[in-house]
């Protein structure tokens, strides 16, 4: 029973994570970023508590219990964050929802007008400014937080490694992820 | 042998299999192909490990924990790969502003750089390739798959109180 509880603890913690997010977002009216952060931290506390509670009775190596379980929780929480983030930032998801709201068939011209380059740029600059990532100073945009810049550089490095390793271009024309 | 050791060994083998497959043939749907490669590799490795009695003393719940860790890391990899595979407009903006250094980047420079690509048309083509929409005579129609995903995202946006971004 303890072993089963330990095995399921990352998912129980993920459920707590998402419930805490919902509570913060819907009832406390906190921002999305704060709700995600609070949910993750409280879920992490929950998984640590579950590991500490079940490990003495569970027939499992202690390193597997602590590192493995926390890694699983972190990974599934990353998936939850990515799902929320894609909902907000993804052009493709936004187009899907726009089409659904407009009878499932739309003119390409209407889509291109609704999702014109200028509008996409301004929406992103608004989000980046609200998130404290960039700031407009005397008519020039500057980086105000290293978080997204670090992510951009990390992805560039991963892209170079994958290009070298996979021997080809991660072909953006073939991708099917909705983003 | 510890779960973690098994899991990272299996992930390493799966990545090597991916390298080999990608060099022989670049899959049309790379993210789906990654899932298939990692799933098949894991099934094969688990069979070998069971056959070699490496897991004979492991409880079912221990094996379940290993499976959970393996597939959660696989999904993280798939998410990161999808970000690598298709350029993100947001990260392009960040890179462009960062390239300006201490002088920053003017609105005009940013607009010029951003408008070098038709982001929306690129995404529409990707959605068509992915089977989410049909494009015919200047009109886009949701496929059944697109319709299902649209409902999923619409429902989750309402539940999690998310704005319609883009």
């Amino acid at each position: 029973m303890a072993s089963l509880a330990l095995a399921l603890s990352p998912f129980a913690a993920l459920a707590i994570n998402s419930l805490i997010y919902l509570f913060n977002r819907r009832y406390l009216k906190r921002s999305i970023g704060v709700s995600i952060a609070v949910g993750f931290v409280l879920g992490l506390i929950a998984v640590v508590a579950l590991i500490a509670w079940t490990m003495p009775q569970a027939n499992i190596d202690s390193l597997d219990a602590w590192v493995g379980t926390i890694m699983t929780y972190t990974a599934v929480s990353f998936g939850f964050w990515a799902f929320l983030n894609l909902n907000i930032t993804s052009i493709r998801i936004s187009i899907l929802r726009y089409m659904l709201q407009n009878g499932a068939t739309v003119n390409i011209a209407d889509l291109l007008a609704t999702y014109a380059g200028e509008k996409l740029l301004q929406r992103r600059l608004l989000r980046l400014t609200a998130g404290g990532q960039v700031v407009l100073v005397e008519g020039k945009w500057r980086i105000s937080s290293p978080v997204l810049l670090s992510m951009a550089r990390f992805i560039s490095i991963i892209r170079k490694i994958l290009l070298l390793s996979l021997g080809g271009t991660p072909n953006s024309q073939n991708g099917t992820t909705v983003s | 042998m510890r779960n973690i050791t098994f899991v990272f060994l299996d992930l390493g083998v799966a990545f090597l299999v991916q390298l080999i497959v990608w060099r022989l043939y670049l899959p049309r749907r790379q993210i789906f192909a990654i899932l298939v490669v990692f799933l098949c590799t894991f099934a094969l490795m688990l069979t070998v490990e069971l056959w070699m009695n490496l897991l004979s003393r492991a409880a079912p719940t221990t094996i379940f924990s290993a499976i959970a860790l393996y597939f959660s890391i696989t999904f993280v990899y798939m998410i990161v790969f999808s970000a690598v595979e298709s350029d993100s407009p947001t990260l392009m903006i960040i890179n462009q502003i960062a390239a300006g250094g201490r002088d920053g980047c003017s609105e005009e420079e940013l607009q010029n750089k951003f408008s070098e690509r038709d982001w929306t048309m690129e995404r529409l083509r990707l959605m068509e390739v992915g089977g989410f929409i049909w494009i015919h005579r200047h009109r886009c129609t949701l496929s059944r798959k697109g319709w299902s995903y649209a409902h999923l995202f619409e429902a989750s946006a309402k539940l999690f109180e998310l704005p319609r971004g883009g």
Side-chain angles (χ1 to χ4, degrees):
Chain A
M1 192 65 188
S3 297
L4 181 62
L6 182 62
L8 293 174
S9 60
F11 305 101
L14 177 65
I16 291 170
N17 179 344
S18 48
L19 287 172
I20 297 292
Y21 168 90
L22 283 171
F23 179 73
N24 275 268
R25 186 82 183 123
R26 294 178 79 101
Y27 295 104
L28 300 183
K29 302 297 180 189
R30 285 191 170 143
S31 70
I32 295 168
V34 168
S35 304
I36 290 172
V38 173
F40 175 76
V41 169
L42 291 180
L44 185 62
I45 292 171
V47 80
V48 166
L50 283 166
I51 295 169
W53 178 50
T54 56
M55 210 184 77
Q57 294 94 34
N59 179 24
I60 188 167
D61 177 83
S62 61
L63 195 68
D64 279 338
W66 284 105
V67 177
T69 307
I70 290 174
M71 279 180 74
T72 304
Y73 169 71
T74 305
V76 295
S77 295
F78 176 80
F80 177 58
W81 169 82
F83 179 73
L84 297 179
N85 186 55
L86 278 179
N87 259 289
I88 298 164
T89 62
S90 167
I91 298 170
R92 281 179 269 187
I93 291 177
S94 183
I95 289 173
L96 283 176
R97 291 176 61 195
Y98 176 83
M99 289 178 70
L100 184 69
Q101 291 162 9
N102 288 276
T105 298
V106 294
N107 289 320
I108 291 181
D110 289 340
L111 272 175
L112 293 178
T114 305
Y115 294 93
E118 175 63 31
K119 291 181 185 174
L120 294 177
L121 175 62
Q122 291 308 320
R123 255 181 243 149
R124 274 157 181 74
L125 287 172
L126 207 65
R127 274 201 296 263
L128 290 169
T129 308
Q133 299 299 315
V134 299
V135 65
L136 188 62
V137 177
E138 295 172 352
K140 294 272 188 111
W141 288 101
R142 293 169 208 273
I143 301 290
S144 55
S145 164
V147 174
L148 275 185
L149 181 59
S150 303
M151 200 182 295
R153 287 183 176 153
F154 173 72
I155 287 176
S156 291
I157 292 167
I158 297 291
R159 180 177 281 133
K160 280 175 190 156
I161 292 170
L162 283 175
L163 277 174
L164 282 171
S165 305
L166 299 175
T169 308
N171 189 346
S172 62
Q173 297 304 315
N174 290 344
T176 59
T177 40
V178 187
S179 68
Chain B
M1 214 173 180
R2 291 189 168 128
N3 263 2
I4 295 173
T5 312
F6 273 126
V7 168
F8 282 97
L9 177 68
D10 292 353
L11 285 167
V13 171
F15 186 66
L16 282 172
V17 171
Q18 185 198 348
L19 294 189
I20 294 166
V21 169
W22 259 240
R23 281 185 181 270
L24 292 171
Y25 166 72
L26 190 65
R28 200 162 165 263
R29 295 169 62 188
Q30 294 193 62
I31 306 299
F32 180 71
I34 288 173
L35 180 62
V36 170
V37 164
F38 276 63
L39 181 64
C40 293
T41 306
F42 184 76
L44 185 66
M45 293 294 288
L46 189 64
T47 306
V48 168
E49 284 152 9
L50 286 169
W51 176 66
M52 290 173 71
N53 284 326
L54 294 171
L55 295 173
S56 58
R57 284 191 236 167
T61 48
T62 305
I63 296 174
F64 175 80
S65 294
I67 293 172
L69 180 58
Y70 179 90
F71 282 103
S72 60
I73 293 175
T74 298
F75 283 125
V76 168
Y77 176 58
M78 286 165 64
I79 292 166
V80 172
F81 191 92
S82 71
V84 168
E85 186 188 32
S86 51
D87 291 332
S88 157
T90 303
L91 295 183
M92 187 237 81
I93 291 167
I94 290 287
N95 279 327
Q96 183 63 23
I97 294 174
R102 286 188 179 183
D103 295 332
C105 178
S106 68
E107 186 88 21
E108 190 185 349
E109 282 169 338
L110 208 50
Q111 278 173 2
N112 288 341
K113 184 71 181 174
F114 198 80
S115 61
E116 280 177 10
R117 291 173 64 167
D118 189 342
W119 297 95
T120 304
M121 212 51 229
E122 281 180 20
R123 267 31 182 195
L124 287 174
R125 287 196 196 103
L126 286 169
M127 290 167 76
E128 191 182 29
V129 167
F132 295 97
I133 59 172
W134 298 309
I135 297 177
H136 180 66
R137 291 191 178 185
H138 309 294
R139 289 172 72 80
C140 288
T141 305
L142 283 176
S143 67
R144 182 172 286 186
K145 179 178 171 182
W147 188 87
S148 303
Y149 273 85
H151 270 285
L152 168 68
F153 289 119
E154 188 69 21
S156 58
K158 282 179 184 156
L159 174 65
F160 294 110
E161 292 205 356
L162 303 169
R164 196 186 80 204

